[in-house]
Amino acid sequence: MDYFQTFQVLPNIPEPLSFLESLSRNYWWSWELDAKELFRRIDLELWESSGRNPLLFLANVSQKRLEALSTDPGFLDHQARVKALFEERVKTPFTGGPGGIYDREGAIAYFSMEFGIHETLPIFAGGLGILAGDHLKAASNLGLPLVGVGLLYRQGYFHQRINKDGWQQEEYPETDLYPLPLEKIRDEHGHEMRITIPGPSEDIVAVVWKVGVGRVPLYLLDTNLRENPRHIRDITARLYVSETSVRLAQEMLLGVGGVQALSAMGIEPRVFHMNEGHPVFSCLERLARIMEIHGVDLRAAREIVPRATVFTTHTPVPAGHDEFEPDLVRPYLHQFQDRLGVSEDEILSWGQHEGAGIDSKLSMFILGLRMSQFMNGVSELHGRVARRMWRHVWPHRPEAEIPIAHVTNGIHIPSYVSWSNAMFFQNRLGINWHCNSWKRESLKEIDGINDLDLWEAHKRSRNRLIENCRRLLKKQCERRNAPQNVVEAAESVLDKDVLTIAFARRFATYKRANLLLRDLDRLNDILNNEERPVQIIYAGKAHPTDEEGKGLIRHIFKHASDERLRHKIVFLEDYDIRMARLLVQGADVWLNTPRRPYEACGTSGMKAAVNGVLNVSILDGWWCEGYTEETGWAIGKGEDYEEHSDSDLVDSHALYNVLENEVIPCFYDREEGAAPFRWIEMMKASMKMVLSDFSSLRMVEEYEKRFYSHASRKYGELLDHHAAGAQKVADLRERYRSKWGDISLAPPVCERSGSEPIRMGDVFPVTVMVHLGDLKPEEVHVELYHGNVQSLDTISESHTELMAVRESKGDGTYLYACNLTCTSSGQYGFSVRVMPQGDDLIKYMPGFVTWAEAEKEP
C-alpha cells in the first residue's frame, strides 16, 4: 500500500474523570505511588495485562466501569488528591532558580543516546539510559529548568530470547507509538516540526516528539518518515547498532539535530550537559549558532561553549569510547566548514589526539573534553581511573590535577522502591519524603521501623519475585517447546523461604557473571545445604555482537539445567525495568562481581540497597563509597591485578568464603524461628545509606551547585556587551599561546642556614628566579609545589603555595619567594611551576604549565 491516512481513536472518558487523560500523558504517574494506585483501583487485572501502560489501559476499560467511577465519591476524592499533587509538582511554573541565574525553562539541555523512563518507552539499553531517566525525574522533583534531548527508536534495544541450547537470540519488534504519551511538536502553522542535517549523500530529515517526565520535557528525534529513503528511516530504528556509519549518523542527529530542534522551538539553553560522548557533535552546532546569533568570531565562541558545557563519562576503558574514521565524518562537517570559517581538517583535529596525523580517527571523548570545562566520572574511583586514562592529554600535570572530577551517580528512589518500603519511609519521614535529599542525622527515624514488620514486608516482596520467576520460566519453557515435565517443573522452581541471590546486569565479560560457577562442587555444597540452602536468579542481556557475553549466558543456562543445580539456579530472559524492579525489591542479596576497576558506578546495587537488599560486591564503582560492615559485604579488599586469571581465581575464592562464613550464617541466624535481627539491622543501615548519599536528588543538586550554576553565570558574562568578555579571554589565550614558550625557571633555592635536621612544622623561605619574557606577573601564577615524596619523581598529597614577586631583575625576569612549611614527617620534596591566571579552563589548558629546571651538571 503506497499511501493511507491514519488517525487515533481515544476512549470516551466521562468529564468527571477527564484528569485521567492528562495524568496518563505524563510519566510523573510512574513514580508517584498514589497516582499508580489510582489506575490500579480501576481494574487491577487489566492494569497488569496492559503492561501498566495508562493509555492502553484506559482504552480498554469498559464504558460501564468508567461511568460507574465518574459518580464514585471515594474514587473522585482519590483522583482529586492526585490532581492536586499533579498541579503542584508538574504544572507549577519554573521561577528562575537560585539567584535568578536561569532566565527561562529549558536553560539546561541534557543530551543522551538513551533514556530509561519506564518499561513502556523502550528507548534504553541499560545503566546509561536508566541514569539519564533518573536525572530527568530528579530535575523535575527539584524544579530545575532542564530539557532532555534524545532519539526515538522505533525498535529500541532488542528483545532477548534464549533457545534450547542456551544461546541468546535477538528480536526487534517495532514499538507501537500510539498507546504511548508522545506528542508531535508542531510549528505555529500546525505543521509538524522538521529538522534537517546534511548527510553524506542526502539530507537527514527528522520530526520531533515530546514526552512529559514530570516538569521536564524530553524531546526525541525520529527519522521514520515516508519521504525518507529506507536507510535514512533506519537511522532511528535501533539503539547501539554495530554498523559504524549508522552509529555516526545517529550521533550527528542527536547532537547537531538536537540543537536545531531546540532552536526551532525557541529554546537556546545556557548550559549543555552531554551524558557520555555520543552527543558531542552538539558543540559544533552550538559554536555555529553562537557565532550567527551573537555576531562573534570563532575564537570567542570557542571560549563560550566549553565554559557552558558539562561532559559526563561513564566508560573506564579507552576502547569503550566511540571513534570514527575521518572520511566518514568529513561529509557531515562540510556545512561547518562554511559556518565556522575553518577547514574540515581543522575541525577534525579538535577530536584527534595531540600530534596525531590528519588521517587519525576522531575520538568523541577527545572532542568532548576539548569542548567542556566541566568534566566528571560517575564515582570517586571512576574519577581516578579517568584521570589516569587521559593524563596524556595534559602532559606535565600531576595526575591528581587532571581536570576530570567525579559526581557519584544516584538513583530516583520512588521509581524502584517497593510499596511497603515507601510506606515505611512515608510514615517515618513524612508524605513528601521522596522530594528531599536526606542528611544521615535526619534518618534515625528509619531505625524505628518495627523489625518484624520490615521482615514480613520483605518476605512478601521475595514471594512476589519467586511467583513471577515461575510464571516467566513457564512461558520461556513453553515458547521453547520444552517437554511437559520441564514446563510443570518450572511452576515450582525456587523456594520462598530460601536465601535468594540476584545477579542481573549487562553480560559483558568484565562483569564476570560466571565467577560464582568456577568451583561447581563448592557451589553445590552452598546451594544444597539442607539447613541453610541458597538459590540464585540470573538475568541480563549481552550485546548482539558480543559472542563472549553470549557464551557466559549459555554457560549459566547449561548449569541451570544441571541435575545438581536445577531448581537452584534460574536464568530469566529479556531483562528490563519491570524485571529489575522485581529483583531489587525481592532478592535478599545483590551480587556484583566486576573486574576492578572496570565498573564505573553500578547503580543497580543502590536500587537493591534502598529496598533492604544487601550488597555482596567487589570494591568497585559506587561500592567503594557505600560499603561498610553495617551495609553489606565486600569481595576481597580492593586489590588490582595485572592478570585477569589471577583476579578471577582470588576473587572467586573470596566470594565463596564471604558467602559461607558471613552472608549465609547472618541470614539464617535466628532464635526459635524468629527473624534474622542482625540482617534486619543491616537492611536498615543499607536503606539509610542510599537515602542520604545515593539518591538522584543529591546527584542533580551536586551537578547544579558545582557545574550548572557556574556554567550559566559564565555564559551570561561572556556574552554581555557584545561578547566582550569572550573576546578578552580569547585574546588572553592567544597571548599565552604565543608567549608561553619563553618562560623558564631556575632551580628553586631553599634559604635555610645551618645543618640542623628539619623537623615537622619547620618553616623556611624558598626563592626562584623566573623568566616570563613578555608576560607580566599579574598574568601568571608562580606556585611552590610540595609534599611527601612517593618515588623519585612523584609527590603524594601535594600542597601548593602562591609565590610573590620579591624583586624585578629586568628583561622579564623576576625573583619570586614564599615560605615552605613542613606539614608532615618523612621524605619531603618541592618544586616550582608557572601556570596561567584565569578560570579553570585557562588554568588547565594542556601544555600551559612550566616547571623549574633541574640544576645542570658541569
Side-chain angles (χ1 to χ4, degrees):
M1 186 181 302
D2 293 331
Y3 174 77
F4 60 93
Q5 291 184 332
T6 63
F7 57 92
Q8 189 171 4
V9 179
L10 301 176
N12 187 9
I13 305 289
E15 196 282 329
L17 305 181
S18 60
F19 169 68
L20 291 176
E21 289 196 271
S22 299
L23 179 63
S24 67
R25 293 191 172 277
N26 188 301
Y27 275 109
W28 174 82
W29 67 264
S30 69
W31 70 81
E32 190 59 52
L33 288 178
D34 211 21
K36 281 191 283 189
E37 190 59 32
L38 186 66
F39 289 124
R40 287 163 50 89
R41 182 172 179 168
I42 296 172
D43 187 327
L44 178 57
E45 185 176 339
L46 180 60
W47 174 250
E48 292 298 325
S49 65
S50 63
R52 297 151 306 284
N53 179 336
L55 287 172
L56 188 61
F57 170 69
L58 290 174
N60 287 284
V61 176
S62 71
Q63 195 65 36
K64 181 180 179 181
R65 177 61 174 155
L66 291 173
E67 295 294 343
L69 289 169
S70 70
T71 58
D72 182 334
F75 184 86
L76 293 176
D77 283 348
H78 188 169
Q79 179 183 249
R81 186 170 68 243
V82 173
K83 184 177 181 180
L85 278 176
F86 186 80
E87 295 291 333
E88 174 190 342
R89 297 177 182 174
V90 177
K91 294 300 184 181
T92 303
F94 172 67
T95 58
I101 57 174
Y102 307 111
D103 58 0
R104 59 164 295 144
E105 294 189 21
I108 304 159
Y110 185 90
F111 289 76
S112 183
M113 193 75 159
E114 50 172 307
F115 286 90
I117 308 297
H118 188 258
E119 57 264 32
T120 56
L121 186 64
I123 57 171
F124 61 93
L128 180 75
I130 303 300
L131 183 279
D134 285 5
H135 200 105
L136 301 194
K137 293 172 184 178
S140 173
N141 285 139
L142 295 168
L144 201 62
L146 184 143
V147 299
V149 182
L151 303 180
L152 180 61
Y153 307 98
R154 67 177 183 273
Q155 295 175 356
Y157 205 49
F158 67 90
H159 286 265
Q160 179 195 53
R161 297 289 179 259
I162 308 300
N163 70 16
K164 61 183 178 61
D165 298 317
W167 286 107
Q168 173 181 289
Q169 310 290 303
E170 296 87 31
E171 297 177 356
Y172 292 91
E174 190 149 333
T175 301
D176 183 1
L177 301 184
Y178 293 104
L180 294 178
L182 292 163
E183 173 191 348
K184 194 170 285 186
I185 300 298
R186 300 184 179 276
D187 61 23
E188 63 273 18
H189 304 296
H191 303 134
E192 61 183 28
M193 181 177 290
R194 299 195 173 198
I195 60 98
T196 303
I197 65 170
S201 57
E202 61 226 298
D203 287 346
I204 298 171
V205 182
V207 292
V208 185
W209 299 83
K210 175 184 173 182
V211 179
V213 186
R215 289 185 177 100
V216 172
L218 169 58
Y219 297 107
L220 301 171
L221 278 65
D222 174 19
T223 60
N224 187 28
L225 303 173
R226 286 196 186 95
E227 52 269 44
N228 278 337
R230 173 54 60 180
H231 67 281
I232 300 293
R233 294 179 68 169
D234 285 347
I235 289 173
T236 56
R238 298 179 182 179
L239 176 58
Y240 296 139
V241 293
S242 55
E243 188 177 344
T244 306
S245 61
V246 179
R247 187 74 165 259
L248 174 60
Q250 288 180 335
E251 297 187 13
M252 278 287 178
L253 179 63
L254 172 62
V256 177
V259 179
Q260 286 188 9
L262 292 177
S263 297
M265 290 182 286
I267 301 172
E268 296 290 344
R270 297 172 71 92
V271 181
F272 276 31
H273 186 165
M274 302 181 296
N275 190 37
E276 202 44 273
H278 312 116
V280 168
F281 290 125
S282 62
C283 295
L284 302 182
E285 179 66 22
R286 196 179 188 198
L287 283 171
R289 290 198 61 77
I290 286 175
M291 291 171 66
E292 292 159 0
I293 294 172
H294 299 284
V296 301
D297 60 16
L298 179 60
R299 291 169 63 252
R302 289 195 66 186
E303 300 300 335
I304 296 167
V305 166
R307 288 176 172 84
T309 302
V310 182
F311 178 29
T312 297
T313 175
H314 300 253
T315 308
V317 290
H321 297 278
D322 285 344
E323 294 187 335
F324 299 107
E325 294 289 348
D327 287 344
L328 272 179
V329 183
R330 281 193 177 94
Y332 292 99
L333 299 183
H334 185 70
Q335 62 157 322
F336 293 109
Q337 182 173 257
D338 298 331
R339 296 173 70 192
L340 300 180
V342 291
S343 69
E344 294 169 2
D345 286 344
E346 171 69 15
I347 300 171
L348 279 168
S349 72
W350 301 343
Q352 293 168 329
H353 291 269
E354 191 71 34
I358 60 172
D359 293 327
S360 65
K361 289 183 178 180
L362 179 141
S363 162
M364 297 298 280
F365 185 87
I366 294 291
L367 182 59
L369 68 84
R370 287 180 178 152
M371 291 291 171
S372 312
Q373 176 176 334
F374 306 99
M375 295 170 282
N376 70 281
V378 290
S379 69
E380 184 178 3
L381 176 60
H382 181 229
R384 296 202 301 268
V385 170
R387 289 190 288 275
R388 190 178 312 130
M389 278 172 53
W390 300 102
R391 61 190 175 199
H392 62 276
V393 178
W394 290 271
H396 313 304
R397 293 273 181 196
E399 186 177 298
E401 293 186 356
I402 301 302
I404 301 176
H406 81 275
V407 175
T408 301
N409 283 343
I411 61 165
H412 189 250
I413 293 170
S415 291
Y416 307 102
V417 72
S418 69
W419 184 88
S420 298
N421 275 27
M423 290 299 101
F424 289 136
F425 297 156
Q426 180 172 302
N427 292 337
R428 289 285 166 177
L429 303 175
I431 195 168
N432 292 324
W433 67 269
H434 64 282
C435 297
N436 300 304
S437 291
W438 294 93
K439 303 298 182 185
R440 283 184 180 270
E441 58 270 19
S442 305
L443 292 170
K444 294 178 182 177
E445 283 291 323
I446 299 297
D447 295 326
I449 298 172
N450 181 276
D451 288 350
L452 293 178
D453 288 346
L454 179 59
W455 185 242
E456 288 302 316
H458 179 67
K459 286 172 62 177
R460 288 193 296 272
S461 292
R462 190 196 308 128
N463 291 347
R464 186 168 61 252
L465 168 62
I466 289 172
E467 287 167 2
N468 275 277
C469 283
R470 292 170 176 173
R471 178 179 57 81
L472 292 169
L473 285 168
K474 181 183 178 183
K475 287 178 64 176
Q476 290 174 203
C477 292
E478 289 174 337
R479 187 186 49 74
R480 288 194 292 265
N481 291 315
Q484 185 60 33
N485 65 316
V486 174
V487 174
E488 291 173 356
E491 295 182 292
S492 59
V493 73
L494 305 178
D495 190 310
K496 294 182 179 181
D497 295 316
V498 167
L499 171 61
T500 303
I501 299 174
F503 182 100
R505 51 194 23 87
R506 183 165 56 91
F507 268 67
T509 51
Y510 79 86
K511 292 180 182 283
R512 301 188 298 185
N514 62 341
L515 194 67
L516 195 53
L517 303 175
R518 286 181 63 90
D519 187 337
L520 291 179
D521 290 333
R522 195 170 177 183
L523 178 61
N524 179 60
D525 290 342
I526 291 173
L527 299 184
N528 290 301
N529 184 294
E530 290 187 7
E531 295 182 356
R532 297 178 168 182
V534 177
Q535 56 198 13
I536 310 169
I537 302 171
Y538 284 96
K541 298 177 179 179
H543 189 276
T545 62
D546 183 1
E547 294 303 320
E548 287 186 272
K550 291 182 179 181
L552 288 174
I553 292 174
R554 183 173 183 269
H555 184 63
I556 291 167
F557 184 86
K558 173 186 173 184
H559 289 299
S561 304
D562 186 288
E563 197 60 42
R564 294 184 301 171
L565 305 179
R566 185 179 293 177
H567 296 283
K568 293 291 187 176
I569 298 178
V570 299
F571 185 94
L572 301 178
E573 63 185 18
D574 211 25
Y575 184 49
D576 67 358
I577 291 179
R578 179 171 185 265
M579 189 182 295
R581 203 178 290 118
L582 287 167
L583 288 163
V584 299
Q585 292 174 7
D588 299 302
V589 167
W590 197 258
L591 180 63
N592 190 28
T593 55
R595 285 195 188 97
R596 178 185 160 104
Y598 296 129
E599 185 80 279
C601 186
T603 55
S604 65
M606 302 174 191
K607 300 179 182 83
V610 81
N611 283 291
V613 178
L614 301 186
N615 277 265
V616 175
S617 175
I618 297 291
L619 285 168
D620 199 5
W622 81 284
W623 194 231
C624 295
E625 300 164 57
Y627 166 70
T628 66
E629 291 183 356
E630 289 73 36
T631 55
W633 290 274
I635 303 169
K637 301 184 184 301
E639 306 93 340
D640 293 324
Y641 296 89
E642 292 290 331
E643 297 294 330
H644 289 171
S645 57
D646 293 340
S647 169
D648 295 352
L649 179 63
V650 173
D651 287 344
S652 66
H653 285 306
L655 173 56
Y656 291 129
N657 288 340
V658 76
L659 289 175
E660 291 170 336
N661 301 327
E662 299 181 52
V663 179
I664 297 171
C666 184
F667 182 83
Y668 285 107
D669 184 12
R670 310 174 194 189
E671 296 181 6
E672 299 179 359
F677 293 110
R678 166 63 181 149
W679 188 279
I680 295 169
E681 184 180 350
M682 294 178 71
M683 290 173 67
K684 292 179 181 179
S686 196
M687 294 187 295
K688 289 189 294 183
M689 167 193 65
V690 175
L691 285 166
S692 63
D693 297 335
F694 298 103
S695 79
S696 58
L697 293 178
R698 186 275 311 157
M699 174 186 72
V700 174
E701 285 177 329
E702 192 171 344
Y703 275 113
E704 199 283 327
K705 290 174 182 175
R706 292 176 56 190
F707 300 156
Y708 295 163
S709 61
H710 296 288
S712 182
R713 286 192 183 96
K714 202 66 181 177
Y715 180 82
E717 290 170 4
L718 292 174
L719 281 173
D720 277 349
H721 308 296
H722 305 290
Q727 295 289 357
K728 183 178 179 180
V729 177
D731 291 342
L732 181 61
R733 183 191 291 267
E734 196 57 46
R735 178 168 167 76
Y736 284 136
R737 185 172 284 115
S738 62
K739 304 295 184 182
W740 199 264
D742 298 332
I743 294 175
S744 61
L745 294 83
V749 176
C750 174
E751 298 181 358
R752 178 177 171 273
S753 60
S755 57
E756 290 295 317
I758 300 171
R759 305 290 182 182
M760 189 170 66
D762 284 355
V763 179
F764 47 85
V766 176
T767 61
V768 64
M769 200 69 71
V770 181
H771 179 71
L772 295 178
D774 290 339
L775 292 172
K776 304 300 180 186
E778 58 268 23
E779 294 177 304
V780 299
H781 279 156
V782 178
E783 294 180 342
L784 177 69
Y785 182 86
H786 63 98
N788 287 96
V789 176
Q790 188 173 5
S791 61
L792 286 176
D793 58 357
T794 304
I795 288 178
S796 62
E797 297 185 17
S798 62
H799 306 274
T800 59
E801 307 290 340
L802 195 61
M803 304 184 78
V805 175
R806 176 184 287 182
E807 185 181 348
S808 173
K809 299 293 187 179
D811 298 325
T813 301
Y814 304 86
L815 180 67
Y816 279 80
C818 75
N819 288 331
L820 171 59
T821 302
C822 298
T823 56
S824 59
S825 59
Q827 191 72 15
Y828 216 75
F830 65 90
S831 186
V832 175
R833 65 186 181 187
V834 181
M835 298 171 60
Q837 283 208 45
D839 62 14
D840 283 351
L841 191 63
I842 289 286
K843 184 178 178 181
Y844 291 104
M845 287 187 298
F848 285 76
V849 58
T850 301
W851 293 86
E853 297 177 359
E855 191 79 64
K856 292 185 173 64
E857 295 183 6

